[in-house]
Amino acid sequence: MDKSPALFLLLTLGLCCPGIHGQSNVFKIRSRSDITQLREGQRLELECQSDKESGAFWIRQDKSGTLHFIVFISSISRSTFNRGYSTSSRFEAGKDNKIYWLVVKSFTPQDEGKYFCLMNVNQMLHFSPGQPVFLPVTTTVAPTASRSTPRQGTAEDPNTKTPDPERTQEELNFFCHIFIWVPLAGACLLLLIALVIIIVLCQRTRRRRCRCKR
C-alpha cells in the first residue's frame, strides 16, 4: 500500500475547496465479519454504504499517521489500484448498488491501521469515520514451575526392613540369659568365697585347740 500521488493531489484539491468535511454522514463504513476475531492470514471484508454515486477511495492510515492509497472505485464499478493497475494480488474491490466494498485477501500486520472511505461530492471532500483494524494482542504467559503433589499417607522408608521374628527371639533369649545367669554366677562366687573363708577359719580354730591340749 504505497503512497499514491493521485491521493495527495486529491487531498490538495480538496483542501483548496470550500466546505471541507473531516467526517461526514454521507456514508457509513462497517465490516462484514467480526474484526475482534481477525487473525493473520484471514480475509478482511469492509464495505462503505453511501447515498451518492460519485465514486469512492479506500485509504489506510497506519500507526504513525501516514495515509496509504489502496484503490479508487468509480461510479461504474471500475477499480483502479496503486500505479494504475486494475487488479491487485493483495486486494479486491468493487461496487454493489451504493455499497463500495474492499477485501484484504490475506491480512498481515502491515495491513493494520484505520480504514477510511473518501468521496469528493460537489467539490467537497468527505471522510467516513475511521474503522480501526488490528490483530488481537497476544500476551505471553510465563511458564509456572510445576509442583509435585505429595502422596497421601506415610512415605515408606526404603531403609526400613521388616524385623526377622527368629532373630528377635534370639536377642530376647540372649538378654534373658544375661539378666538371669550373671546374678547367679555372682551369687555362686560369693558363696564360694564365703565357703573358703569358713574353711580357713575352721582350720585356724582347730589349730588353736590342738595347741591348748598340749
Side-chain angles (χ1 to χ4, degrees):
M1 293 181 286
D2 299 330
K3 302 173 186 177
S4 173
L7 176 61
F8 290 106
L9 178 60
L10 179 63
L11 293 176
T12 303
L13 292 175
L15 292 174
C16 295
C17 298
I20 301 300
H21 293 182
Q23 291 185 354
S24 173
N25 294 324
V26 173
F27 37 49
K28 296 180 181 180
I29 185 172
R30 68 183 184 88
S31 173
R32 295 181 180 178
S33 57
D34 187 3
I35 298 180
T36 60
Q37 301 298 325
L38 182 64
R39 295 294 183 269
E40 186 173 353
Q42 291 184 346
R43 286 170 60 91
L44 171 65
E45 299 182 359
L46 300 174
E47 61 180 27
C48 181
Q49 185 174 4
S50 173
D51 57 354
K52 307 295 181 181
E53 293 190 9
S54 59
F57 291 86
W58 278 101
I59 60 175
R60 178 180 66 89
Q61 184 181 29
D62 60 20
K63 296 179 180 179
S64 64
T66 304
L67 296 175
H68 300 266
F69 169 78
I70 301 176
V71 65
F72 171 71
I73 307 170
S74 67
S75 59
I76 59 174
S77 192
R78 179 177 296 175
S79 301
T80 303
F81 294 91
N82 190 30
R83 298 180 182 178
Y85 293 117
S86 59
T87 58
S88 172
S89 59
R90 298 176 57 191
F91 304 100
E92 295 177 357
K95 177 178 176 293
D96 294 330
N97 295 325
K98 294 183 180 180
I99 297 177
Y100 298 85
W101 52 268
L102 172 70
V103 174
V104 183
K105 296 180 181 179
S106 180
F107 196 84
T108 62
Q110 66 178 344
D111 296 319
E112 292 182 321
K114 283 187 177 181
Y115 286 77
F116 295 89
C117 212
L118 178 65
M119 282 187 179
N120 186 14
V121 180
N122 297 327
Q123 296 183 349
M124 288 191 301
L125 197 60
H126 299 270
F127 286 87
S128 70
Q131 175 63 60
V133 181
F134 296 94
L135 292 171
V137 179
T138 57
T139 56
T140 304
V141 179
T144 57
S146 59
R147 298 180 180 178
S148 57
T149 305
R151 296 182 179 179
Q152 296 181 354
T154 305
E156 295 183 358
D157 186 0
N159 296 325
T160 304
K161 297 181 180 180
T162 305
D164 187 1
E166 296 181 357
R167 185 175 179 180
T168 304
Q169 186 64 34
E170 291 178 358
E171 292 177 354
L172 291 175
N173 293 336
F174 175 75
F175 287 114
C176 289
H177 292 165
I178 291 177
F179 286 108
I180 294 174
W181 291 108
V182 168
L184 288 177
C188 292
L189 180 60
L190 291 176
L191 290 174
L192 181 61
I193 293 173
L195 182 60
V196 171
I197 293 173
I198 292 172
I199 293 173
V200 171
L201 292 176
C202 289
Q203 288 180 354
R204 288 181 179 180
T205 304
R206 288 179 182 180
R207 289 178 182 177
R208 290 179 181 178
R209 288 179 180 180
C210 292
R211 287 178 183 179
C212 293
K213 288 181 179 181
R214 291 179 184 180

